[in-house]
Amino acid sequence: MSATARRGSRRDTPPPRTGGGEAEVLRGFLDHLRESISAKVEGAPEPHVRTASVPSGTNLLGLLRHLTFVERATFLGDRVTDWQSTFRTPADDSVADVVARYREAVARADAVLDTCSDLAAPVPRPRPNSPALSVRWALTHMIEETGRHAGHADVLRELIDGTTGR
């Protein structure tokens, strides 16, 4: 695909305009990134969506699967003992399955966040013997983690079919 054709396929969405409160800004940017990465995965063709295009083995579907585990660990208290395995998608998991599980994890995480009015308060999570993270820290971490992997997804998707933009 030519550079001109690629430029023509950009569909950038600007950062969100949110209210002035810190929680609104953090959640707005996190939602923007969540939607960006899920959109990168949703339209990608099989088998390319699960095929590694880089030496590390990273692939689009694995990135979204990993972020599902991160959302659940950060906001729902799930314990993950092998983070590397979260990047590997079983062959019988379809794109729709992985996207649906991600969106479900996000919805459950949002439900937890909806109950948190104080950013300095700990995230409510049922993990005993684990330090309580503040809501502010958890949101900032998820913005960083999702943004980092959304950037990876941008490059991987462009390698697959030339699609660029958010």
Side-chain angles (χ1 to χ4, degrees):
M1 182 172 276
S2 73
T4 304
R6 284 188 184 146
R7 265 195 305 273
S9 67
R10 286 194 82 82
R11 298 178 328 273
D12 277 345
T13 303
R17 296 199 185 270
T18 62
E22 184 181 4
E24 291 171 305
V25 170
L26 292 172
R27 289 189 68 180
F29 272 83
L30 178 56
D31 287 344
H32 176 69
L33 290 167
R34 286 166 164 170
E35 184 54 38
S36 294
I37 192 161
S38 61
K40 284 290 178 183
V41 174
E42 276 183 308
E46 286 277 9
H48 305 290
V49 71
R50 63 180 75 240
T51 303
S53 301
V54 293
S56 67
T58 302
N59 64 75
L60 277 175
L61 206 54
L63 286 173
L64 196 62
R65 184 173 185 272
H66 169 72
L67 284 171
T68 302
F69 282 89
V70 179
E71 289 272 355
R72 294 183 59 83
T74 303
F75 296 117
L76 306 175
D78 287 7
R79 185 165 173 80
V80 177
T81 57
D82 181 5
W83 281 105
Q84 280 307 113
S85 71
T86 67
F87 286 97
R88 293 188 292 276
T89 306
D92 59 343
D93 274 1
S94 70
V95 173
D97 293 336
V98 175
V99 170
R101 278 196 294 274
Y102 177 69
R103 291 188 187 277
E104 189 260 337
V106 165
R108 290 190 59 206
D110 281 346
V112 168
L113 288 168
D114 289 344
T115 69
C116 301
S117 59
D118 180 3
L119 292 176
V123 173
R125 48 196 254 167
R127 278 182 53 188
N129 305 320
S130 182
L133 306 170
S134 73
V135 175
R136 179 180 290 105
W137 187 95
L139 284 167
T140 303
H141 170 64
M142 282 308 306
I143 291 168
E144 175 272 329
E145 183 82 5
T146 307
R148 178 173 183 245
H149 292 312
H152 296 145
D154 286 341
V155 171
L156 293 173
R157 183 61 190 264
E158 187 173 3
L159 289 170
I160 289 171
D161 64 5
T163 300
T164 61
R166 275 179 250 171

